[in-house]
Structure formats: structure tokens, C-alpha cells
Amino acid sequence: MTAEEGDGLGYDILSFDERSDAERWIEVKTTGLGIYFPFYATAAEVRCSEDAADRFQLYRVFEFARRPRVYVLAGSLRERCRLEPAVYRATV
């Protein structure tokens, strides 16, 4: 699998705005917990949201098992969320 496939792209779904035909790059994050429960974003997703802020949209699905609801964050995740490092890759 290359960076152009799977998680390497930084988004899950390539879509289009029906009025303007502009590309929409959609990332989906789902949890069974509440609206304010943290979610994980990869470095590729954050970078994609910054490089293509005009196209990037994160669809946040929450309370999935009980009463699924969704909200959308458009643009840079760095500007819309408080990001905290959670995972590091170490090499020797």
C-alpha cells in the first residue's frame, strides 16, 4: 500500500460539493462516547487539514451505539482543536 492509498492520504473519502464541484476531503472519526470525548488524529490527517484547509472536513460521529450524532469541523485541525502528542515513533 502506498501513501496514495489507505491512511497515507490524510483523509478517508474523496467527495465533491454538489453546487461547485469542488473537491471535499472527508475524514471520519467515530466513538461510542460523548461529544467532548477526545479522538485521535494522525500526523498525516493534521498535515492534510493544514495543506488543504479549504477542502478538508472532519466528520465527528459520537454516541454511535446509543444515539448517533455528527458534527463537522472544516479546515485546519490545528486551528479547530487542541492537539496533544499521543504517540511517538522512536528509532535507534
Side-chain angles (χ1 to χ4, degrees):
M1 189 170 290
T2 68
E4 290 77 36
E5 300 174 300
D7 289 336
L9 284 173
Y11 62 91
D12 295 325
I13 302 164
L14 172 60
S15 185
F16 297 90
D17 183 287
E18 62 185 15
R19 288 171 280 172
S20 68
D21 285 334
E23 285 188 358
R24 293 285 178 237
W25 297 358
I26 299 172
E27 175 64 27
V28 180
K29 298 292 181 181
T30 304
T31 184
L33 299 172
I35 189 170
Y36 297 111
F37 191 79
F39 60 90
Y40 290 96
T42 67
E45 292 161 356
V46 172
R47 193 169 37 254
C48 181
S49 77
E50 293 175 315
D51 292 346
D54 59 326
R55 291 177 276 203
F56 187 88
Q57 295 180 338
L58 184 136
Y59 280 61
R60 179 73 168 91
V61 182
F62 60 99
E63 294 185 9
F64 185 72
R66 294 180 297 161
R67 186 173 162 226
R69 291 179 282 166
V70 66
Y71 63 87
V72 178
L73 297 175
S76 169
L77 293 177
R78 194 171 306 278
E79 292 179 11
R80 302 293 313 266
C81 303
R82 185 179 70 230
L83 300 177
E84 300 172 8
V87 178
Y88 294 91
R89 183 176 76 170
T91 58
V92 284

